[in-house]
Amino acid sequence: MTPLLDVRKLVTEFPVGHGRTLRAVDEVSFQLGRGEVLGLVGESGSGKSVTGFSIMGLVDGPGRVSSGQIMFDGMDLTQANPEARRSLRGRRIAMVFQDPMMTLNPVLRIGTQLTETLHAHLQIGHNEAHARARDALALVGIPSPEERLDAYPHQFSGGMRQRVAIAIALLHQPDLIIADEPTTALDVTIQAQIIAEFQRLTEERGTSVIWITHDLAIASGLADRIAVMYGGRIVEMGQTDDVLSAPRHPYTRGLIRSVPSQNSRGTRLAQIPGVTPNLANMPKGCAFRTRCARADAACESRPGRFGGPQAFHRCFHPHEETA
Amino acid sequence: MITTIIRRGIQAMFVIFAMTLIVFLGVNVIGNPVDILVNPDLNQAERLRVVERLGLDQPLWQQYLTFLKGLTQGDFGTSFVYGRPALDVILDRLPATLELALLAMVIALVIGLPLGLYAGLYPNRISSRVIMTGSILGFSLPTFWVGLMFILLFAVELGWLPSNGRGSTVEFLGARWSFLTADGLQHMILPALNLALFKTSLILRLTRAGVQEVVAQDYVKFARAKGLRENRVILVHILKNLMIPVVTIIGLEFGSLIAFSVVTESIFGWPGTGKLIIDSINLLDRPVVVAYLMMMVVLFVTLNFIIDISYTLLDPRVRLDGKG
Amino acid sequence: MNANVPILPDASALAESGRLRTGLARFFAAPLAALGAIVLLAVVLVAILAPVLSPQNPYDLMQLDIMDSRLPPGSSSFNGVPYHLGTDGQGRDILSGIMYGLRTSLLVGLVSAVAAALMGTTVGLMAAYVGGRTEGFLMRLVDLQLSFPTILMALMVLAFLGNGVTNVILAIIIAEWATYARTSRGTALVEREKEYIEAARCLRIPAHRILLRHLLPNCLAPIIVIATMQVARAIGLEATLSFLGLGASVTQPSLGMLISNGYQYLLSGLYWISFYPGIALLITIVAINLVGDRLRDVLNPRSTR
C-alpha cells in the first residue's frame, strides 16, 4: 500500500537578495503511513516548521518550494494548481499552529471561524453548518458550546483557544494533521490535557499526524516514529523506541542527554557545545560537525543516508552502542 | 459601556463649553466689536444707541451670558451682509458643503482603499511602487494649486467639465442638492476630486500599512490553512481587521474635509459654507464667523465622540473592556 | 559602539565632527535626498540673492509698466528686458515675482516652524518633567487641539486677529505647536525614566539644567525632523491662506499670493501667472520633504545599526 504522504527530496528556499538563497529545508525525504504519528524534532531554525508549511503550500513569500516532490495520496502537491491545493487544505490536510493567542481572528466570532471552514469545502446550509460547528466544539471538550459559538476569541483562555483550533482542524475529518508545536505556548498542566485530547481524537479517526516539536519528551510520548532535523536536514529517523534507546547520530544523542529525567537527578546535564549554525552560513558537509566531538575530515563531505527509508541516519561516525 | 458613553459625553460638553469661551473672548476681547459692529458713519448719539442695543455697554461676563443664552437658542445674531440670522445663512449653505465632502470621501475611499489593499498585498510589484510614489505626490502637492490646474486642464484647455458653481439643483428633503441632476454632478466632479486628493493618499497609505501588519499575523495564515478562498481571506479576515483604523480615519477626516472645503469651494466658486466663511472673514461679518466656528467645534467634538463609540462597537476587545 | 552599554547621553554628540561626518555621508547616500538638499540649497540661495538675480524689482511700482501686463512667457519689455516666464496683470515679471515671493514664503515657513518648535518643545518638556496634574492638563489640551484640522485653527486665529503676514505666522504657530509638544513629551518620558536623570535629581542638579542639558538633547532629533517637515507644511499653509486672501499683503506677495493673482486670468487661458509660482512652490515643498524624510531615517537611533 502506498503511504499517505511521501516527501521526496524536498527543498524550500528563501531568497536573501543578490541572487543568493537560503535553504530552510534541504532535501528532506520521509514517508508517513495512514494513522501514523511522526514526531518531527529539532531546535528552532532547524527547518521543521518550514517543512510543515511546505506540505501545506503556505510558505511565506518570497520563499518557495524549489525542488522535490510531496506525494499526498498519490498526487504530487508541488505540481497541483492553487485551487486544488486550497481544496485540500483544511479538508484533507489540516494544521494546528503554535500560539493559540494568535491563530484565531480577534474580530470574528468563534462560530464564524468554524462555519467558514465548513462552507469553504461543502455546499451546506447555515443551520447544518451551525450544528456541525457546535458539535465540533463539544467534541474537543468546550462546555456549553452553543453559547460559545457567539463568543470572540479574547473571551477564551489559551488552552480553550487551542481546543477551538483543534476543533477547526478536525471539522472535515482530515487524513493528515500537521501540529506545529501546538502546546509550547501553554501551561504544563493544560499541555498534558491538550496532548491527551488530541491523541484520543486522532487515534479514534485514524488520522495521520506530523507533530512538530522541539521537545523530545513530548515527541517520544506521542509519536510512532521520530525524525530529527538539524540545519534543514533530517539527520536521523526511526521507530521512536529505537531512536531513543539507540541514537546513532551524535546530535540525537546530545538531544536525548540534555533532557532531564529522574535517573539523571543530581548529575550534571549534558549539553551540546556551541550554538545552532546560522542557515546563511552552514558548514560544508555535515552541518553538525562544528559542534561534534567525532567529526573528522570525512565530515567535510555531505553524509548520505545510511539505512532504509524507514530508519536511517546521516553520520559517518554513528554511535553503535545504546544510550 | 453606558458609563463610557456618559463620561465621553460629559467631556464633549465641557470641550464645547470651553470653546464658546475662547470664541467669545477671541471676538470680543482681541477685536473691538464696536468698531466692527457699528457703522462708522453714525454720529456719537446713534453710536451709543447701537452699543446699548447690542448690550456692548454691559460687563463682559454679562455679555458672555447673553452670548451663551443666544447659543442655546441657536441665535448667533444677524448677519451684517445678508441681514438674516447667521445660523440660517450657514444652514442654507450646508447641503452644498455636505454633498461635496461626502462625494470627496467616497472618491477617496473608492480609490484609496483598493489601491492601498493592492499595494499592501503585493508590495514588491512595480505597480505597487508606482502607487506609493503617486501617493507621496498627493501629499506634497498644494491642494489649491492642483485645483487651479484642474480648471486649466479640464475646463479651459479640454473643455470637458464646468469649473464654477453648483449647476442645476433639485429640492429634496427641504434642501437643494446638486448630486441628483446630471448637470449638478458634472459640476461636482472637479471640486470633489480636488478635495479628495489629499485624503486619497492618506487612506491609501494607512490601508497599505494596515494590510502589511495584518497579513503577517498568524490568524491570516491559519485562515489560509483552513482552506478558505483567497477572496474570503482578503475581504473578511484582512479587511475586517483594517476597518477599525479606516473607520476612525473616515470619521476624523470627514470633519477635516468640511474644514478644508474652504479652499476647494473658493477655487471652484462652490457656494457652500467654506466659501461663506472666507467671504465673511474678508467682509468682517462676525456673527456668521462665530456661528461657523461654533458649528465646526460642535461638529468635531461630535465626530470624536461618535468615533470613540464606534470603536467600541467595531472592536470586540474594547467593547468588553468597557462592560467590565 | 554597543547600544546596550549605558553611556551618559552627550549633549554635544551631534556636533562631534566624526559623527557629523558619518551622518552627512549617510544622508547623501540616498540620491533622492541629496537631490532634495541641493535643490533646497539653490532655492534658498535664489531667495537670498533675489535683489541681485532678479531682472526686476517687483515691489518697485516705478519699474512696472502696465503696458507690459499679461505678456506670455518669452516676451520682453519695450527696452528689451526679457520676461522669461511672462508677466502678471500689473506688468510684473513673473520670474522676479517668484524670486521675491520665495523670500516671503521661506521666511514665514522658517519663522513659524522655529517658533512653534520652541513653544511646543518647551511645553512638552515641562509637562514631562513636572508630571502629575499639570502634565495631564497640558496633554489634554494638546489632544484637543490636534483633533481640529490645522486650517480650522488658522481660520479661527485669523478671524480674531485679522489678516496679514504677522497674523498668518501667529496662526501657524498656534495651529502647529501641539505636534511638537506631543513628540517632545513622548521622547522625554522615555528619557525621564532612565537612571541618569534619577542620578541628576539626586545630585540636586537644578531643574532647568536637567531639562536643558539632559532631556532636551535627547528630544532634539525627532524635533529637528518634525520642524523640517513643518517648514514645508507652513509654506503650504501660508500659500493657501494667502490664496484665500487672508495672508500676505499685496505689496509684498508670497508665492500663494502670486498664484492667487493669476486665478482670475486662468479662465482666459493665461496659465503662466498661476502656473509658474505653483511649480516653484511645489519644488520647494517636495525638496524640503525629501530632506526631512531622509533626516528621519538618519537621525532615528534605531536605524543607525
Side-chain angles (χ1 to χ4, degrees):
Chain A
M1 199 169 105
T2 55
L4 176 70
L5 182 73
D6 186 359
V7 177
R8 300 174 189 161
K9 295 205 163 188
L10 177 72
V11 177
T12 304
E13 292 178 313
F14 292 83
V16 287
H18 306 291
R20 292 181 52 212
T21 55
L22 203 146
R23 276 198 176 192
V25 177
D26 190 0
E27 297 199 1
V28 161
S29 304
F30 64 88
Q31 294 180 346
L32 184 68
R34 284 167 209 277
E36 194 184 11
V37 179
L38 175 72
L40 198 55
V41 184
E43 298 169 55
S44 51
S46 61
K48 55 193 196 307
S49 288
V50 181
T51 305
F53 283 119
S54 301
I55 297 168
M56 290 299 286
L58 289 175
V59 177
D60 286 321
R64 62 187 191 92
V65 174
S66 48
S67 68
Q69 288 156 351
I70 303 167
M71 305 299 295
F72 176 78
D73 204 8
M75 171 168 55
D76 184 1
L77 297 185
T78 59
Q79 302 301 318
N81 66 38
E83 174 56 24
R85 297 212 76 171
R86 180 202 69 75
S87 96
L88 283 179
R89 278 199 291 269
R91 189 170 60 91
R92 298 199 60 195
I93 310 176
M95 192 159 178
V96 180
F97 285 35
Q98 177 170 359
D99 188 351
M101 308 308 267
M102 308 296 291
T103 44
L104 298 176
N105 194 323
V107 301
L108 297 178
R109 291 175 198 278
I110 297 294
T112 313
Q113 306 199 38
L114 283 153
T115 50
E116 67 177 1
T117 316
L118 291 165
H119 289 303
H121 302 290
L122 295 173
Q123 297 291 326
I124 54 169
H126 176 79
N127 290 336
E128 195 191 338
H130 183 87
R132 286 182 65 168
R134 184 194 54 218
D135 295 347
L137 285 191
L139 192 68
V140 294
I142 287 177
S144 49
E146 182 72 42
E147 288 85 77
R148 299 309 259 169
L149 283 177
D150 287 333
Y152 286 94
H154 70 272
Q155 293 165 273
F156 284 64
S157 68
M160 281 296 166
R161 287 194 213 189
Q162 200 59 298
R163 284 171 192 264
V164 173
I166 291 170
I168 291 174
L170 288 170
L171 270 176
H172 290 282
Q173 310 231 356
D175 303 276
L176 168 65
I177 294 183
I178 300 170
D180 186 5
E181 308 229 19
T183 58
T184 309
L186 303 174
D187 291 341
V188 182
T189 46
I190 314 272
Q191 218 170 48
Q193 283 176 18
I194 298 274
I195 290 174
E197 199 87 16
F198 187 85
Q199 211 170 6
R200 175 178 67 83
L201 290 165
T202 48
E203 255 169 35
E204 278 171 13
R205 285 164 181 71
T207 316
S208 306
V209 175
I210 298 176
W211 188 286
I212 298 170
T213 181
H214 66 274
D215 190 338
L216 200 61
I218 290 182
S220 61
L222 264 168
D224 304 319
R225 273 190 307 140
I226 281 183
V228 179
M229 281 193 80
Y230 187 84
R233 295 174 205 162
I234 294 182
V235 293
E236 179 158 12
M237 181 149 90
Q239 294 297 319
T240 303
D241 291 342
D242 299 345
V243 171
L244 289 178
S245 59
R248 314 297 300 276
H249 198 283
Y251 175 66
T252 316
R253 197 180 169 87
L255 267 187
I256 293 169
R257 286 178 139 190
S258 57
V259 175
S261 69
Q262 281 181 338
N263 22 3
S264 67
R265 191 189 309 182
T267 61
R268 218 190 160 109
L269 273 180
Q271 48 177 340
I272 306 173
V275 291
T276 321
N278 190 330
L279 275 181
N281 43 30
M282 272 294 167
K284 257 208 180 77
C286 174
F288 188 62
R289 72 185 160 87
T290 50
R291 301 168 74 185
C292 183
R294 299 175 155 237
D296 61 15
C299 303
E300 282 170 37
S301 60
R302 204 179 150 128
R305 269 157 62 145
F306 301 101
Q310 296 299 326
F312 65 86
H313 61 81
R314 288 175 185 274
C315 183
F316 293 116
H317 312 291
H319 292 273
E320 301 296 345
E321 74 279 25
T322 55
Chain B
M1 172 109 181
I2 302 286
T3 47
T4 318
I5 294 178
I6 292 174
R7 206 173 54 223
R8 291 278 170 189
I10 292 173
Q11 279 175 5
M13 295 307 283
F14 180 77
V15 169
I16 292 176
F17 175 75
M19 290 308 287
T20 62
L21 205 61
I22 290 172
V23 170
F24 175 80
L25 289 178
V27 174
N28 292 283
V29 176
I30 298 175
N32 180 1
V34 180
D35 293 345
I36 303 150
L37 297 179
V38 183
N39 187 340
D41 297 337
L42 299 180
N43 66 37
Q44 196 60 29
E46 286 169 322
R47 239 180 115 85
L48 277 176
R49 219 171 28 244
V50 177
V51 165
E52 203 171 314
R53 185 170 54 79
L54 291 174
L56 294 175
D57 53 341
Q58 291 178 333
L60 211 55
W61 62 267
Q62 205 148 10
Q63 289 186 41
Y64 177 64
L65 284 185
T66 320
F67 172 73
L68 266 190
K69 198 170 149 225
L71 284 193
T72 54
Q73 294 157 358
D75 177 12
F76 291 87
T78 306
S79 160
F80 308 146
V81 177
Y82 301 92
R84 299 170 49 211
L87 193 63
D88 291 1
V89 174
I90 289 179
L91 290 179
D92 275 358
R93 303 284 201 100
L94 200 56
T97 300
L98 282 182
E99 67 175 351
L100 188 63
L102 265 176
L103 183 61
M105 187 50 94
V106 171
I107 291 174
L109 265 180
V110 166
I111 300 176
L113 202 61
L115 287 185
L117 202 58
Y118 178 87
L121 286 172
Y122 315 105
N124 294 320
R125 293 191 187 169
I126 291 175
S127 41
S128 297
R129 300 223 175 100
V130 171
I131 291 171
M132 294 319 288
T133 313
S135 77
I136 294 178
L137 219 55
F139 271 133
S140 296
L141 290 169
T143 307
F144 71 102
W145 185 70
V146 174
L148 295 187
M149 293 306 113
F150 275 2
I151 293 181
L152 189 65
L153 186 64
F154 295 109
V156 180
E157 294 296 323
L158 299 170
W160 288 352
L161 291 164
S163 68
N164 197 291
R166 289 182 78 181
S168 16
T169 56
V170 280
E171 181 142 347
F172 177 64
L173 294 176
R176 303 204 69 86
W177 305 93
S178 293
F179 75 98
L180 294 172
T181 70
D183 181 54
L185 261 182
Q186 274 202 335
H187 279 79
M188 282 177 85
I189 293 176
L190 284 185
L193 273 177
N194 184 229
L195 194 54
L197 182 75
F198 189 83
K199 301 301 169 209
T200 310
S201 304
L202 187 71
I203 290 179
L204 195 159
R205 294 187 82 89
L206 273 166
T207 309
R208 174 176 172 271
V211 171
Q212 293 204 307
E213 199 176 299
V214 174
V215 287
Q217 301 288 328
D218 268 2
Y219 57 75
V220 172
K221 209 167 189 183
F222 189 61
R224 295 209 168 99
K226 294 196 295 189
L228 300 189
R229 289 185 174 81
E230 199 56 21
N231 273 348
R232 183 160 176 100
V233 174
I234 292 172
L235 295 179
V236 176
H237 283 260
I238 295 178
L239 210 56
K240 190 146 190 208
N241 276 285
L242 278 181
M243 284 327 279
I244 294 163
V246 169
V247 164
T248 317
I249 288 306
I250 292 173
L252 274 176
E253 296 305 316
F254 186 70
S256 118
L257 272 178
I258 291 181
F260 272 99
S261 69
V262 294
V263 182
T264 299
E265 289 182 9
S266 297
I267 299 168
F268 293 92
W270 189 264
T273 52
K275 187 162 164 39
L276 176 70
I277 175 73
I278 297 301
D279 292 345
S280 301
I281 291 178
N282 283 326
L283 296 168
L284 299 175
D285 194 350
R286 292 267 167 159
V288 175
V289 173
V290 168
Y292 177 84
L293 290 180
M294 283 317 299
M295 184 191 81
M296 292 305 279
V297 167
V298 172
L299 173 79
F300 273 94
V301 173
T302 314
L303 274 175
N304 277 322
F305 178 67
I306 294 173
I307 290 159
D308 271 349
I309 303 302
S310 47
Y311 243 154
T312 345
L313 294 178
L314 262 175
D315 191 338
R317 286 162 293 191
V318 179
R319 179 159 72 221
L320 270 115
D321 290 349
K323 251 183 211 162
Chain C
M1 188 171 85
N2 190 328
N4 296 326
V5 175
I7 47 151
L8 214 64
D10 188 350
S12 56
L14 265 179
E16 246 177 73
S17 65
R19 277 188 60 182
L20 185 65
R21 212 174 306 134
T22 47
L24 278 177
R26 271 167 54 76
F27 182 93
F28 283 102
L32 258 181
L35 181 71
I38 291 166
V39 170
L40 185 59
L41 192 70
V43 167
V44 172
L45 277 179
V46 165
I48 292 172
L49 298 176
V52 186
L53 293 176
S54 70
Q56 188 191 64
N57 180 354
Y59 302 155
D60 183 0
L61 293 176
M62 297 302 287
Q63 288 190 23
L64 304 185
D65 190 337
I66 199 73
M67 295 299 284
D68 284 352
S69 69
R70 284 172 276 160
L71 291 178
S75 323
S76 52
S77 69
F78 70 97
N79 53 11
V81 180
Y83 296 128
H84 295 289
L85 301 181
T87 61
D88 71 2
Q90 278 116 35
R92 191 185 282 132
D93 175 35
I94 298 285
L95 182 62
S96 309
I98 290 175
M99 289 178 170
Y100 277 83
L102 270 176
R103 304 182 110 189
T104 315
S105 291
L106 286 176
L107 194 71
V108 170
L110 218 61
V111 169
S112 52
V114 169
L118 280 178
M119 178 174 155
T121 311
T122 311
V123 172
L125 288 184
M126 293 293 265
Y129 186 78
V130 176
R133 282 246 176 109
T134 323
E135 182 182 20
F137 174 76
L138 284 174
M139 287 307 122
R140 259 284 138 88
L141 204 65
V142 166
D143 285 344
L144 177 65
Q145 176 154 2
L146 286 177
S147 71
F148 291 100
T150 328
I151 189 127
L152 186 67
M153 294 304 301
L155 279 183
M156 199 179 278
V157 174
L158 289 174
F160 297 158
L161 300 177
N163 307 349
V165 182
T166 328
N167 289 347
V168 166
I169 293 178
L170 265 178
I172 296 174
I173 297 170
I174 291 174
E176 299 286 10
W177 70 275
T179 321
Y180 297 96
R182 180 178 277 181
T183 310
S184 57
R185 172 181 168 263
T187 325
L189 271 190
V190 177
E191 223 48 47
R192 188 175 75 179
E193 301 307 319
K194 293 197 178 155
E195 276 137 28
Y196 75 93
I197 295 287
E198 189 83 2
R201 283 202 203 208
C202 289
L203 290 171
R204 304 225 174 260
I205 294 174
H208 65 90
R209 234 181 112 85
I210 296 181
L211 277 172
L212 287 180
R213 297 291 293 273
H214 298 294
L215 284 181
L216 180 63
N218 284 294
C219 306
L220 224 46
I223 294 294
I224 289 173
V225 173
I226 296 177
T228 313
M229 303 293 217
Q230 210 66 260
V231 172
R233 275 183 61 131
I235 290 175
L237 187 58
E238 187 278 333
T240 306
L241 292 171
S242 289
F243 174 78
L244 294 172
L246 305 173
S249 64
V250 190
T251 47
Q252 296 210 344
S254 68
L255 292 177
M257 198 72 188
L258 292 175
I259 297 171
S260 173
N261 286 341
Y263 173 54
Q264 50 180 313
Y265 302 112
L266 211 60
L267 288 178
S268 3
L270 309 180
Y271 69 94
W272 59 88
I273 308 178
S274 280
F275 181 75
Y276 290 115
I279 293 287
L281 182 65
L282 180 64
I283 289 174
T284 312
I285 290 177
V286 171
I288 296 176
N289 279 339
L290 285 177
V291 170
D293 218 40
R294 187 64 194 155
L295 274 181
R296 173 165 47 208
D297 292 346
V298 174
L299 290 180
N300 183 355
R302 275 180 299 176
S303 70
T304 17
R305 235 120 265 275

